[in-house]
Amino acid sequence: MKVLVNAGPWLAVPPPGYGGIENVLATLVPALRERGVSVVLASVGASTLEVDELLCAYDDGQFTELQKPYNQVMGIAHAHLARVVDELRRRDDIDLVHDHVEVVGPAVLSALGGPPVLHTLHWDLRKHPAFYGAFPSSIAVSGVSESQLARAPDALRAAALGAVHLATPLAERDVRVEREDYLVVMGRVCGLKGQHVAARICQKLGLPLVLAGPVSGRDTPAELDVVAQNPYHPLHNHPDVRYHLDQVSPYLDGDLVRWIGSVGGQARDHLYASARAALFPIQWDEPGGTAVVEALALGVPPVGLRRGCLPEIIDHGRTGFLADTEEELAELVLRVDELDPEECRREARRRFSPSVMAERYLELYEEVARGTGTRPRA
Ligand code: UDP
């Protein structure tokens, strides 16, 4: 079977630092190839993941560009998709397309009449109501959690074949490092991820906290400084930049509460694995939660607010803690040492390993290829 995995033009696979979808694809593709699937990856030239073929319209990831005004960047996803469509028109050896590009993927590929396509939707499905609210049931989609699909508009739910939880290779790696005292929030710095809540709690309790992740595509404090110092910089008033400057920065004392920018690769794994617990004070219904699954795999108990996919991933009291309010979250943060890291690791191996995810996607590929909800092959 030859599958074209459409990762989109945003970040390399694997990503150099932050990158939810790209990390998931860096997990899925090797597991598919181990099972005899040939993978053509549509990504950017900077991708280093071992694949059978790499297609790209751009040399480098375009994620930072995405922060610019819409009329300057709306062509990026289309240029990438045009490259994919061109390829699908020219050849007939692709058995199936597994698409991961928001909105433009289903909009463009459903009109093509090429090989069957499965679209995995990684985001909050209440976005783009005009698109998802009138979604044709003939387009095959999968979600990344049950709670994400449950919140989708009826039309989209009717097109969904099911949810496949995200996975991480860390679940099969058994990373062991010495535990340190700090708590960590691993993720994009933005209002949805709620870093300010973690910072407020840790400052009040006197607990060390490390915030890791980019701010509107800026990977280091120095890069963010350039934006903050220049009121004419196009990102100066970007909501994530304002969030960091107005709501998170006041807690950053360079000692107890620190923002270290993005971390990637082994440095990310080491930083994450050394933490006493991972905090998820999310202010939205997190659809998939790669960072939650990674925390479990590293034996770092996740502690978060009971929203979105978190209750599906975390078993309260066994593999982490879930709170309904900030006050309750603060109380539970003090109890993280009651949780058993081995239990977290076991759960990740059982539910969030690359093999589990690949097997589930292979079932969906078969279903889609048999014709469930897709156009017949051209
Ligand atoms: N991440 C990373 N370095 C950072 C911050 C985040 O490698 O400094 C990774 C994190 O480990 C996870 C991904 O970026 O794999 C974030 O994915 P998640 O689904 O948690 O968040 P989202 O896709 O919503 O931003």
Side-chain angles (χ1 to χ4, degrees), residues 25-231:
L25 294 181
T27 303
L28 175 64
V29 167
L32 289 175
R33 295 180 81 232
E34 270 169 30
R35 286 160 177 77
V37 176
S38 295
V39 174
V40 178
L41 180 68
S43 173
V44 292
S47 289
T48 54
L49 188 71
E50 209 171 299
V51 288
D52 296 281
E53 222 179 301
L54 178 66
L55 294 183
C56 48
Y58 293 92
D59 290 338
D60 294 308
Q62 300 296 302
F63 182 66
T64 313
E65 292 297 295
L66 200 50
Q67 315 304 324
K68 291 182 181 166
Y70 176 71
N71 65 353
Q72 290 175 28
V73 299
M74 60 180 279
I76 296 175
H78 294 77
H80 174 87
L81 257 299
R83 173 80 181 87
V84 171
V85 166
D86 181 49
E87 198 70 16
L88 291 172
R89 284 223 170 97
R90 276 195 314 105
R91 56 201 277 184
D92 65 358
D93 62 329
I94 306 286
D95 298 301
L96 184 131
V97 179
H98 188 180
D99 172 55
H100 300 263
V101 176
E102 184 163 9
V103 174
V104 184
V108 170
L109 294 173
S110 64
L112 183 65
V117 186
L118 172 67
H119 301 272
T120 293
L121 313 174
H122 292 260
W123 30 89
D124 174 1
L125 301 177
R126 284 168 302 184
K127 283 205 281 179
H128 321 300
F131 185 70
Y132 289 134
F135 205 77
S137 60
S138 58
I139 301 179
V141 304
S142 65
V144 290
S145 70
E146 298 294 344
S147 75
Q148 175 211 28
L149 290 178
R151 268 180 273 273
D154 291 347
L156 188 55
R157 266 211 315 278
L161 302 181
V164 183
H165 278 138
L166 302 173
T168 169
L170 297 168
E172 285 172 354
R173 247 181 239 157
D174 202 22
V175 177
R176 302 225 168 219
V177 298
E178 205 166 311
R179 212 36 43 113
E180 292 187 37
D181 219 23
Y182 60 85
L183 305 163
V184 67
V185 178
M186 181 69 65
R188 266 180 301 144
V189 179
C190 61
L192 301 177
K193 302 282 180 182
Q195 279 86 354
H196 69 294
V197 175
R200 187 157 55 211
I201 289 176
C202 287
Q203 198 176 71
K204 210 191 278 170
L205 299 177
L207 297 172
L209 174 69
V210 175
L211 304 173
V215 179
S216 186
R218 309 297 108 173
D219 287 317
T220 62
E223 280 177 34
L224 184 65
D225 243 15
V226 172
V227 176
Q229 298 305 328
N230 177 3

Side-chain angles (χ1 to χ4, degrees), residues 17-20 23 186-188 193 212-214 261-263 268 284 286 289-291 294:
Y18 161 80
N23 268 329
M186 181 69 65
R188 266 180 301 144
K193 302 282 180 182
S262 296
V263 283
R268 193 256 337 237
W284 71 322
E286 182 84 40
T290 321
E294 291 165 349

